[in-house]
Amino acid sequence: MKIIVLGSAAGGGYPQWNCNCHNCDGLRKGTIRSRARTQSSIAISANGSDWLLVNASPDILTQIRATPALQPARAARDSGIAAVLLMDAQVDHVTGLMMLREGKRIPLYCSAAVRQDLRHGFPLARVLSHYCGVQWNELPVDGGDHASFFVPQLDGIRFTAVPLDSKAPPYSPHRDRPVAGDNIGLLAHDLITGKKLFYAPGLGGIAPMTAAAMREADCLLVDGTFWTEDEMIAQGFSSKPAAAMGHLPQSGAGGMIEALDGMPASRKVLIHINNTNPILDEDSPQHATLRRHGIEVAYDGMEILL
């Protein structure tokens, strides 16, 4: 199983177009050691030619141009994207569907809650029906063995959707009344190598079912949005703490670092990193802390082989 990180930043990307925080300003001016990142998405393949696009970032066209594997050129018009799977209905994870409108009908895998949001709260599906259209595939979201599913053209990889503690988008009717499937984690099991990936770019808390899935994985690719609970408040960008936005910060008691320290995975990688997070500065003490804990920071173009 091969995984390519197409985008590793949170919503808005990095540098964010209108942000002059320490990171964004420093990256533009070249005063910090860092690298630009597009909004989060990954691609998974069993054969290196046919790929499952996991989340469709607004930056998808840039990501496709940067990823030759997604352009196999087997026909006059062709793509290596065999299907799209959505982890949630957030703007930064679904808007890229509009950029795929010139192609064939999109095989789309998502929960019933996400499908509802895309038909009503943020009706992308209605717009796409005038172009390529969508072939809906509803994901079971109880996280059990019978919730496993396969995606055609990704033979040999079994997927399981795991419901997460996080937040539905602001336009969702479930925003303050969460339902199973608003956000999912994805466990991908390569049946040939036996290796497993757990992917969760939006993770507000680690419930027992989530912890069990994380303990199974050889590689964890999880929420790296904020370093502290009050990061956006302290920098004057928001009145909301990390928890209110559906994200578990890395630092502090019960944070992501503490959680990852207790996991047996051989690789632990943070993704969906907000532009304000000090780990983006590769010379920062926070970045050094991650290295001491054996935790990596995802970047665009990163490849993982399991």
Side-chain angles (χ1 to χ4, degrees), residues 58-142:
D59 299 316
I60 183 61
L61 297 185
T62 297
Q63 293 166 350
I64 290 173
R65 284 193 291 270
T67 312
L70 297 183
Q71 309 158 29
R74 296 164 295 196
R77 286 198 171 183
D78 185 38
S79 168
I81 300 172
V84 181
L85 185 147
L86 301 177
M87 310 292 283
D88 52 49
Q90 298 284 354
V91 166
D92 52 317
H93 288 162
V94 304
T95 313
L97 291 171
M98 297 298 296
M99 302 300 103
L100 304 179
R101 66 188 182 275
E102 295 92 353
K104 299 176 182 177
R105 195 176 186 200
I106 301 171
L108 188 64
Y109 292 77
C110 65
S111 69
V114 168
R115 179 177 182 178
Q116 181 185 23
D117 286 343
L118 295 186
R119 297 178 85 177
H120 303 290
F122 186 27
L124 286 182
R126 195 180 314 157
V127 177
L128 282 171
S129 69
H130 297 282
Y131 297 93
C132 58
V134 170
Q135 175 190 329
W136 296 100
N137 297 272
E138 185 175 322
L139 299 179
V141 293
D142 65 3

Side-chain angles (χ1 to χ4, degrees), residues 12-220:
Y14 172 62
Q16 184 171 302
W17 66 278
N18 65 343
C19 184
N20 293 303
C21 69
H22 168 80
N23 289 336
C24 292
D25 185 58
L27 179 62
R28 290 191 194 100
K29 293 178 178 176
T31 56
I32 65 172
R33 191 161 62 94
S34 189
R35 64 177 84 189
R37 289 165 164 87
T38 58
Q39 295 167 90
S40 71
S41 174
I42 67 170
I44 302 173
S45 180
N47 60 15
S49 297
D50 301 292
W51 296 83
L52 174 66
L53 178 66
V54 186
N55 288 336
S57 158
D59 299 316
I60 183 61
L61 297 185
T62 297
Q63 293 166 350
I64 290 173
R65 284 193 291 270
T67 312
L70 297 183
Q71 309 158 29
R74 296 164 295 196
R77 286 198 171 183
D78 185 38
S79 168
I81 300 172
V84 181
L85 185 147
L86 301 177
M87 310 292 283
D88 52 49
Q90 298 284 354
V91 166
D92 52 317
H93 288 162
V94 304
T95 313
L97 291 171
M98 297 298 296
M99 302 300 103
L100 304 179
R101 66 188 182 275
E102 295 92 353
K104 299 176 182 177
R105 195 176 186 200
I106 301 171
L108 188 64
Y109 292 77
C110 65
S111 69
V114 168
R115 179 177 182 178
Q116 181 185 23
D117 286 343
L118 295 186
R119 297 178 85 177
H120 303 290
F122 186 27
L124 286 182
R126 195 180 314 157
V127 177
L128 282 171
S129 69
H130 297 282
Y131 297 93
C132 58
V134 170
Q135 175 190 329
W136 296 100
N137 297 272
E138 185 175 322
L139 299 179
V141 293
D142 65 3
D145 289 340
H146 62 285
S148 295
F149 62 96
F150 292 88
V151 175
Q153 295 177 273
L154 276 84
D155 294 338
I157 301 178
R158 183 173 65 206
F159 297 95
T160 304
V162 181
L164 300 180
D165 291 339
S166 192
K167 284 278 188 179
Y171 41 81
S172 171
H174 319 133
R175 176 66 172 183
D176 299 309
R177 294 177 285 107
V179 300
D182 282 335
N183 298 268
I184 63 166
L186 185 67
L187 188 65
H189 181 191
D190 188 312
L191 299 178
I192 297 174
T193 66
K195 301 293 186 179
K196 296 180 182 180
L197 166 78
F198 181 73
Y199 178 54
L203 189 54
I206 300 178
M209 187 182 297
T210 306
M214 292 174 72
R215 281 192 293 270
E216 284 188 47
D218 299 278
C219 178
L220 295 168

Side-chain angles (χ1 to χ4, degrees), residues 226 230-242 244-245 276:
F226 299 119
D230 66 346
E231 185 172 307
M232 294 290 279
I233 299 171
Q235 296 190 41
F237 294 121
S238 175
S239 60
K240 296 179 181 179
M245 292 183 272
T276 55

